[in-house]
């Protein structure tokens, strides 16, 4: 059986989605994509990017370095946040900022960056009704819940900065996951593509990847992502991923996301759907759901802790 036949549609290598000063633009101009969006940018000293959110809400996530975030709510109302960020995505959780629909978002790098250096930032997006009473907000890195999920070689660290109960929002759900070299993440395979109240939510999902070699020689750092569907809704993705690559999951079972034995794997997830309830409700592939019971007597990978995520 041939695997990955749908890679050209749903897998986007680093740089292939660059536009308008952004390194990556995922939005509803992509065929088959509706509810979620993602933009990333690399900014030099004093550089900035601006985005009119219209009927979208946003979470600003520093990937490396810190940024200044300005949210224009109305001509006479501006809200500003300073995000100190982090050295890189493997260094730990970061502070984030939320901007509601109907606002204009401006993200700027510090003016005093050292020559030749830059910061990298992501803007996670979700389509909303366009009406909200939610105010712009900042969530400190120290307030981001950090969860160790799975056990043994299925251990990973999840930083839940943009989930219900942590960050107030209308539709968007966002988090980031670190998987140590050699481990499997997004396991068992699961899906969230059908509205079943209290059981499963209908959510698109974006994966933005970063990899880091654990080999002192700095060998090629890769990971792998699998997405597969049902007879009624087929999809077939098997992608080799590196830093800056994007995989879109419109529907279907997704998992595993595999870290190669010599590379740590990171991914930023953005989810949203058409439903009015903001909830992450998933169902496991029945063929693999049993694996959860096998974790009862296993400890999480010892390389994982609240800080640092991997050794």
């Amino acid at each position: 059986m041939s695997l990955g036949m749908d890679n050209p549609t749903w897998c986007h290598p680093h740089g292939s989605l660059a536009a308008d000063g952004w390194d990556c633009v995922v939005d509803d101009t992509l065929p088959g994509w509706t509810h979620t969006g993602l933009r990333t940018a690399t900014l030099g000293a004093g550089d900035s990017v601006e985005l009119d959110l219209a009927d979208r809400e946003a979470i600003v996530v520093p990937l490396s370095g810190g940024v200044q975030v300005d949210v224009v709510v109305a001509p006479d109302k501006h809200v500003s946040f300073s995000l100190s960020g982090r050295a890189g995505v493997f260094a730990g959780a970061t502070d984030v900022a939320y901007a509601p629909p109907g606002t204009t978002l401006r993200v700027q790098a510090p003016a005093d960056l050292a020559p030749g250096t830059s910061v990298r930032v992501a803007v996670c997006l979700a389509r909303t009704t366009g009406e909200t009473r939610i105010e712009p907000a900042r969530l400190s890195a120290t307030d981001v819940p950090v969860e160790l999920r799975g056990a043994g070689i299925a251990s990973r660290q999840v930083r839940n900065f943009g989930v219900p109960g942590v960050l107030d929002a209308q539709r968007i759900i966002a988090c980031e996951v670190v998987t140590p070299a050699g481990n499997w993440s997004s396991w068992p395979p699961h899906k969230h593509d059908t509205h079943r109240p209290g059981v499963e939510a209908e959510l698109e999902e974006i994966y933005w990847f970063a990899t880091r070699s654990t080999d002192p020689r700095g060998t090629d750092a890769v990971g792998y992502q699998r997405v597969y569907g049902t007879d009624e809704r087929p999809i077939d993705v098997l992608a080799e991923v590196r830093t800056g690559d994007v995989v879109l999951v419109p529907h279907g079972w997704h998992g595993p996301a595999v870290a190669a034995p010599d590379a740590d794997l990171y991914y930023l997830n953005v989810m949203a759907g058409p439903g009015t309830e903001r909830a992450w409700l998933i169902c496991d592939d029945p063929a693999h759901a049993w694996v959860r019971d096998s974790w009862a007597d296993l400890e999480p990978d010892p390389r994982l802790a609240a800080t640092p995520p991997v050794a």
Side-chain angles (χ1 to χ4, degrees):
M1 180 175 66
S2 175
L3 295 179
M5 63 183 296
D6 292 323
N7 283 22
T9 302
W10 305 115
C11 304
H12 301 276
H14 173 60
S16 63
L17 296 177
D20 302 324
W22 298 87
D23 300 331
C24 170
V25 176
V26 175
D27 60 21
D28 58 9
T29 63
L30 294 176
W33 210 247
T34 304
H35 304 288
T36 58
L38 177 70
R39 296 189 177 217
T40 66
T42 303
L43 305 174
D47 290 346
S48 65
V49 285
E50 191 169 301
L51 190 60
D52 180 2
L53 294 182
D55 63 349
R56 298 167 296 180
E57 59 186 343
I59 303 176
V60 180
V61 183
L63 299 172
S64 61
V67 293
Q68 179 75 17
V69 177
D70 296 307
V71 183
V72 180
V73 180
D76 59 347
K77 183 179 180 181
H78 294 229
V79 182
S80 297
F81 304 105
S82 178
L83 304 182
S84 55
R86 52 195 167 178
V89 295
F90 293 101
T94 181
D95 40 0
V96 302
Y98 172 82
T103 63
T104 298
L105 179 65
R106 185 171 183 264
V107 181
Q108 185 172 27
D112 59 354
L113 285 179
T117 64
S118 60
V119 302
R120 196 173 202 176
V121 64
V123 179
C124 308
L125 298 158
R127 188 75 61 187
T128 70
T129 61
E131 298 179 2
T132 182
R133 294 184 179 180
I134 303 173
E135 294 293 323
R138 177 185 182 275
L139 180 71
S140 171
T142 57
D143 293 326
V144 173
V146 177
E147 169 191 3
L148 299 188
R149 191 174 294 171
I153 62 169
S155 302
R156 60 272 198 191
Q157 182 196 79
V158 185
R159 305 168 188 156
N160 290 307
F161 63 82
V163 302
V166 175
L167 187 73
D168 197 14
Q170 194 177 115
R171 297 281 179 83
I172 196 168
I173 299 173
C175 66
E176 53 187 7
V177 180
V178 171
T179 307
N183 283 12
W184 285 35
S185 191
S186 290
W187 192 259
H190 57 278
K191 73 178 183 74
H192 39 71
D193 61 12
T194 304
H195 177 60
R196 295 189 292 156
V199 177
E200 183 181 356
E202 183 180 353
L203 303 168
E204 289 179 342
E205 185 164 11
I206 299 170
Y207 279 73
W208 183 93
F209 291 95
T211 55
R212 178 179 68 174
S213 175
T214 60
D215 188 331
R217 297 170 298 174
T219 50
D220 187 22
V222 301
Y224 296 87
Q225 173 72 41
R226 178 76 172 118
V227 185
Y228 60 98
T230 62
D231 291 340
E232 297 76 19
R233 302 181 73 187
I235 185 172
D236 182 6
V237 168
L238 179 58
E240 185 174 275
V241 295
R242 295 172 175 81
T243 297
D245 292 350
V246 170
V247 173
L248 304 179
V249 183
H251 58 83
W253 309 105
H254 41 290
V258 182
D262 59 356
D264 299 320
L265 180 69
Y266 162 97
Y267 52 86
L268 172 63
N269 281 151
V270 188
M271 291 169 277
T276 57
E277 181 185 13
R278 182 179 176 233
W280 186 65
L281 298 175
I282 68 169
C283 65
D284 292 334
D285 182 343
H288 301 284
W290 65 269
V291 74
R292 293 190 186 274
D293 294 334
S294 73
W295 295 339
D297 298 323
L298 291 178
E299 294 295 324
D301 190 308
R303 292 172 293 178
L304 287 169
T307 302
V310 290

Coordinates of all heavy atoms in Angstrom, one line a residue, residues 7-63:
N7 N 0.0 13.8 0.8 CA 1.0 14.8 1.3 C 1.0 16.1 0.6 O 1.1 17.2 1.2 CB 2.4 14.2 1.3 CG 2.7 13.2 2.4 OD1 1.7 12.7 3.0 ND2 3.9 13.0 2.7
P8 N 0.9 16.1 -0.8 CA 0.9 17.4 -1.5 C -0.2 18.4 -1.1 O 0.0 19.6 -1.2 CB 0.8 17.0 -3.0 CG 1.3 15.6 -3.0 CD 0.9 15.0 -1.7
T9 N -1.3 17.8 -0.7 CA -2.4 18.7 -0.3 C -2.3 19.2 1.2 O -2.6 20.4 1.4 CB -3.8 17.9 -0.4 OG1 -3.9 17.5 -1.7 CG2 -5.0 18.8 0.0
W10 N -1.9 18.4 2.1 CA -1.9 18.7 3.5 C -0.6 19.0 4.2 O -0.5 19.4 5.3 CB -2.7 17.7 4.3 CG -4.0 17.4 3.7 CD1 -4.5 16.3 3.1 CD2 -5.1 18.3 3.6 NE1 -5.8 16.4 2.7 CE2 -6.2 17.6 3.0 CE3 -5.3 19.6 4.1 CZ2 -7.5 18.2 2.8 CZ3 -6.6 20.2 3.9 CH2 -7.6 19.5 3.2
C11 N 0.5 18.8 3.5 CA 1.9 19.0 4.1 C 2.6 20.1 3.3 O 2.6 20.1 2.1 CB 2.7 17.7 3.9 SG 1.9 16.3 4.7
H12 N 3.1 21.0 4.1 CA 3.7 22.3 3.6 C 5.1 22.5 4.1 O 5.2 22.9 5.3 CB 2.8 23.5 3.8 CG 1.4 23.3 3.3 ND1 1.1 23.6 2.0 CD2 0.3 22.8 3.8 CE1 -0.2 23.3 1.7 NE2 -0.7 22.9 2.9
P13 N 6.1 22.2 3.3 CA 7.5 22.4 3.8 C 7.8 23.9 4.2 O 7.1 24.8 3.7 CB 8.4 22.0 2.6 CG 7.5 21.1 1.8 CD 6.1 21.7 2.0
H14 N 8.7 24.1 5.1 CA 9.1 25.4 5.5 C 9.4 26.3 4.3 O 10.1 25.9 3.4 CB 10.4 25.3 6.3 CG 11.0 26.7 6.7 ND1 10.3 27.6 7.4 CD2 12.2 27.2 6.4 CE1 11.1 28.7 7.6 NE2 12.2 28.4 7.0
G15 N 8.8 27.5 4.3 CA 9.0 28.4 3.2 C 8.0 28.4 2.1 O 7.8 29.3 1.4
S16 N 7.2 27.3 2.0 CA 6.3 27.1 0.9 C 5.0 27.9 1.1 O 4.3 28.2 0.1 CB 5.9 25.6 0.7 OG 5.3 25.1 1.9
L17 N 4.8 28.4 2.3 CA 3.6 29.2 2.6 C 3.9 30.7 2.9 O 3.1 31.4 3.5 CB 2.8 28.6 3.7 CG 2.2 27.2 3.5 CD1 1.4 26.7 4.7 CD2 1.2 27.2 2.3
A18 N 5.1 31.1 2.6 CA 5.6 32.4 2.9 C 4.8 33.4 2.0 O 4.5 33.2 0.9 CB 7.1 32.6 2.6
A19 N 4.4 34.6 2.7 CA 3.7 35.6 1.9 C 3.6 36.9 2.8 O 3.5 36.8 4.0 CB 2.2 35.1 1.6
D20 N 3.7 38.0 2.1 CA 3.5 39.3 2.7 C 4.3 39.6 4.0 O 3.8 40.1 5.0 CB 2.0 39.5 3.1 CG 1.1 39.3 1.8 OD1 1.5 39.8 0.7 OD2 0.0 38.8 2.0
G21 N 5.6 39.2 4.0 CA 6.4 39.4 5.1 C 6.4 38.4 6.2 O 7.1 38.4 7.2
W22 N 5.5 37.4 6.0 CA 5.4 36.3 7.0 C 6.1 35.0 6.4 O 6.1 34.8 5.2 CB 3.9 35.9 7.2 CG 3.1 37.0 7.8 CD1 2.5 38.0 7.1 CD2 2.8 37.2 9.2 NE1 1.8 38.8 8.0 CE2 2.0 38.4 9.2 CE3 3.2 36.6 10.3 CZ2 1.5 38.9 10.4 CZ3 2.7 37.1 11.6 CH2 1.9 38.2 11.6
D23 N 6.7 34.2 7.3 CA 7.4 33.0 6.9 C 6.4 31.9 6.5 O 6.6 31.0 5.7 CB 8.2 32.4 8.1 CG 9.3 33.4 8.5 OD1 9.8 34.2 7.6 OD2 9.7 33.4 9.7
C24 N 5.2 32.0 7.2 CA 4.2 31.0 7.0 C 2.8 31.6 7.1 O 2.6 32.4 8.1 CB 4.3 29.9 8.0 SG 3.0 28.7 8.1
V25 N 1.9 31.3 6.2 CA 0.5 31.8 6.2 C -0.4 30.7 6.0 O -0.5 30.2 4.8 CB 0.2 33.0 5.3 CG1 -1.2 33.4 5.3 CG2 1.1 34.2 5.5
V26 N -1.1 30.2 7.0 CA -2.2 29.2 6.9 C -3.5 29.9 7.1 O -3.7 30.5 8.1 CB -2.0 28.1 7.9 CG1 -3.2 27.1 7.8 CG2 -0.7 27.3 7.7
D27 N -4.4 29.9 6.1 CA -5.7 30.6 6.2 C -6.7 29.9 5.3 O -6.4 28.9 4.6 CB -5.6 32.1 6.0 CG -5.1 32.5 4.6 OD1 -5.1 31.6 3.7 OD2 -4.6 33.6 4.5
D28 N -7.9 30.5 5.2 CA -8.9 29.9 4.4 C -8.7 30.0 2.9 O -9.6 29.6 2.1 CB -10.3 30.3 4.8 CG -10.4 31.9 4.7 OD1 -9.6 32.5 4.1 OD2 -11.5 32.4 5.2
T29 N -7.6 30.6 2.4 CA -7.3 30.6 1.0 C -6.7 29.2 0.6 O -6.7 28.9 -0.6 CB -6.3 31.7 0.6 OG1 -5.1 31.4 1.3 CG2 -6.8 33.0 1.0
L30 N -6.3 28.4 1.5 CA -5.9 27.0 1.2 C -7.1 26.1 0.9 O -8.1 26.1 1.7 CB -5.0 26.5 2.3 CG -3.7 27.2 2.6 CD1 -3.0 26.6 3.9 CD2 -2.8 27.1 1.4
P31 N -7.1 25.3 -0.1 CA -8.2 24.5 -0.4 C -8.6 23.5 0.8 O -7.7 22.9 1.4 CB -7.7 23.7 -1.6 CG -6.7 24.5 -2.2 CD -6.0 25.2 -1.1
G32 N -9.8 23.5 1.1 CA -10.3 22.6 2.1 C -10.1 23.1 3.5 O -10.3 22.4 4.5
W33 N -9.7 24.4 3.7 CA -9.3 24.9 5.0 C -10.3 26.0 5.4 O -10.5 26.9 4.6 CB -7.9 25.3 5.1 CG -7.3 25.2 6.5 CD1 -6.9 26.2 7.4 CD2 -7.1 23.9 7.2 NE1 -6.5 25.6 8.5 CE2 -6.6 24.2 8.5 CE3 -7.4 22.6 6.9 CZ2 -6.3 23.3 9.4 CZ3 -7.1 21.6 7.8 CH2 -6.5 22.0 9.1
T34 N -10.8 26.0 6.6 CA -11.9 27.0 6.9 C -11.7 27.7 8.3 O -11.8 28.9 8.3 CB -13.3 26.3 6.9 OG1 -13.5 25.6 5.7 CG2 -14.4 27.3 7.2
H35 N -11.5 27.0 9.4 CA -11.7 27.5 10.7 C -10.5 28.0 11.4 O -10.6 28.8 12.3 CB -12.4 26.4 11.6 CG -13.7 25.9 11.0 ND1 -14.8 26.7 10.9 CD2 -14.0 24.7 10.4 CE1 -15.8 25.9 10.3 NE2 -15.3 24.8 10.0
T36 N -9.3 27.5 11.1 CA -8.1 27.9 11.8 C -7.1 28.6 10.9 O -7.1 28.5 9.7 CB -7.4 26.6 12.4 OG1 -7.1 25.7 11.4 CG2 -8.4 26.0 13.5
G37 N -6.1 29.2 11.6 CA -5.1 29.9 10.8 C -3.8 29.9 11.6 O -3.8 29.7 12.9
L38 N -2.7 30.2 11.0 CA -1.4 30.3 11.6 C -0.5 31.2 10.8 O -0.5 31.0 9.6 CB -0.7 28.9 11.8 CG 0.7 29.0 12.5 CD1 0.6 29.4 13.9 CD2 1.4 27.6 12.3
R39 N 0.2 32.1 11.5 CA 1.2 32.9 10.8 C 2.5 32.9 11.7 O 2.4 32.9 12.9 CB 0.8 34.3 10.6 CG -0.4 34.4 9.6 CD -0.7 35.8 9.2 NE -1.8 35.9 8.3 CZ -1.9 36.7 7.3 NH1 -1.0 37.6 7.1 NH2 -2.9 36.7 6.4
T40 N 3.6 32.8 11.0 CA 4.9 32.9 11.8 C 5.7 33.9 11.1 O 5.6 34.1 9.8 CB 5.7 31.5 11.8 OG1 6.1 31.2 10.5 CG2 4.8 30.4 12.4
A41 N 6.6 34.6 11.8 CA 7.4 35.6 11.3 C 8.8 35.6 12.0 O 8.9 35.3 13.2 CB 6.8 37.0 11.4
T42 N 9.8 36.0 11.3 CA 11.1 36.2 11.8 C 11.4 37.7 11.7 O 11.4 38.3 10.6 CB 12.2 35.4 11.0 OG1 11.8 34.0 11.0 CG2 13.6 35.6 11.6
L43 N 11.7 38.3 12.9 CA 11.8 39.8 13.0 C 13.2 40.2 13.5 O 13.7 39.7 14.5 CB 10.7 40.3 13.9 CG 9.3 40.0 13.6 CD1 8.4 40.5 14.7 CD2 8.9 40.5 12.2
G44 N 13.8 41.1 12.7 CA 15.0 41.7 13.2 C 14.8 42.9 14.1 O 13.6 43.2 14.4
A45 N 15.8 43.6 14.6 CA 15.7 44.6 15.5 C 14.6 45.7 15.1 O 14.8 46.3 14.0 CB 17.0 45.3 15.8
G46 N 13.6 45.9 15.9 CA 12.6 46.9 15.6 C 11.6 46.6 14.5 O 10.7 47.3 14.3
D47 N 11.8 45.4 13.9 CA 10.8 45.0 12.8 C 9.5 44.7 13.4 O 9.4 44.2 14.6 CB 11.4 43.8 12.0 CG 12.6 44.1 11.2 OD1 12.8 45.3 11.0 OD2 13.2 43.2 10.7
S48 N 8.4 44.8 12.6 CA 7.1 44.5 13.1 C 6.2 43.9 12.0 O 6.5 44.0 10.8 CB 6.4 45.7 13.7 OG 6.2 46.7 12.6
V49 N 5.2 43.2 12.4 CA 4.1 42.7 11.5 C 2.8 43.1 12.1 O 2.6 43.3 13.3 CB 4.2 41.2 11.3 CG1 5.3 40.7 10.4 CG2 4.2 40.5 12.7
E50 N 1.8 43.3 11.2 CA 0.5 43.8 11.6 C -0.6 43.0 10.9 O -0.4 42.5 9.8 CB 0.4 45.3 11.2 CG -0.9 46.0 11.8 CD -0.8 47.5 11.7 OE1 0.1 48.1 12.1 OE2 -1.8 48.0 11.0
L51 N -1.7 42.8 11.6 CA -2.7 41.9 11.1 C -4.1 42.5 11.6 O -4.3 42.6 12.8 CB -2.6 40.5 11.6 CG -3.4 39.4 11.0 CD1 -3.2 39.3 9.5 CD2 -3.1 38.1 11.6
D52 N -5.0 42.8 10.6 CA -6.4 43.1 11.0 C -7.1 41.8 11.2 O -7.3 41.0 10.3 CB -7.0 43.9 9.8 CG -8.4 44.3 10.1 OD1 -8.9 44.0 11.2 OD2 -9.0 44.9 9.2
L53 N -7.6 41.6 12.4 CA -8.2 40.3 12.7 C -9.6 40.1 12.2 O -10.0 39.0 11.9 CB -8.2 40.1 14.2 CG -6.8 40.0 14.9 CD1 -6.9 39.7 16.4 CD2 -6.0 38.8 14.2
A54 N -10.3 41.2 12.0 CA -11.7 41.1 11.5 C -12.5 40.1 12.3 O -12.6 40.3 13.5 CB -11.7 40.7 10.0
D55 N -12.9 38.9 11.7 CA -13.7 38.0 12.5 C -12.9 36.8 13.0 O -13.4 35.7 13.3 CB -14.9 37.4 11.6 CG -14.4 36.7 10.4 OD1 -13.2 36.7 10.1 OD2 -15.2 36.0 9.7
R56 N -11.6 37.1 13.2 CA -10.7 36.1 13.8 C -10.2 36.5 15.2 O -10.1 37.7 15.4 CB -9.5 35.8 12.9 CG -9.9 35.3 11.5 CD -8.7 35.3 10.6 NE -8.3 36.7 10.3 CZ -7.3 37.1 9.5 NH1 -6.6 36.2 8.9 NH2 -7.0 38.4 9.3
E57 N -9.9 35.5 16.0 CA -9.3 35.8 17.3 C -7.8 35.2 17.2 O -7.6 34.4 16.3 CB -10.0 35.2 18.5 CG -10.2 33.7 18.4 CD -11.1 33.1 19.5 OE1 -11.3 33.8 20.5 OE2 -11.5 32.0 19.4
A58 N -6.9 35.7 18.0 CA -5.5 35.3 17.9 C -4.9 35.1 19.2 O -5.2 35.7 20.2 CB -4.8 36.4 17.1
I59 N -3.9 34.2 19.2 CA -3.0 34.1 20.4 C -1.6 34.2 19.8 O -1.1 33.5 18.9 CB -3.1 32.7 21.0 CG1 -4.5 32.4 21.5 CG2 -2.1 32.6 22.2 CD1 -4.7 31.0 22.1
V60 N -0.8 35.2 20.4 CA 0.6 35.4 20.0 C 1.5 34.6 20.9 O 1.4 34.6 22.1 CB 0.9 36.9 20.2 CG1 2.4 37.2 19.7 CG2 0.0 37.8 19.3
V61 N 2.3 33.8 20.2 CA 3.2 32.8 20.9 C 4.7 33.1 20.5 O 5.0 32.8 19.3 CB 2.8 31.4 20.5 CG1 3.7 30.4 21.3 CG2 1.4 31.1 20.8
P62 N 5.5 33.7 21.3 CA 6.9 33.8 21.0 C 7.6 32.4 20.9 O 7.4 31.6 21.8 CB 7.5 34.6 22.2 CG 6.3 35.2 22.8 CD 5.2 34.3 22.6
L63 N 8.2 32.2 19.7 CA 8.9 30.9 19.5 C 10.4 31.0 20.0 O 10.9 30.1 20.6 CB 8.9 30.5 18.1 CG 7.4 30.3 17.5 CD1 7.5 30.1 16.0 CD2 6.8 29.1 18.2

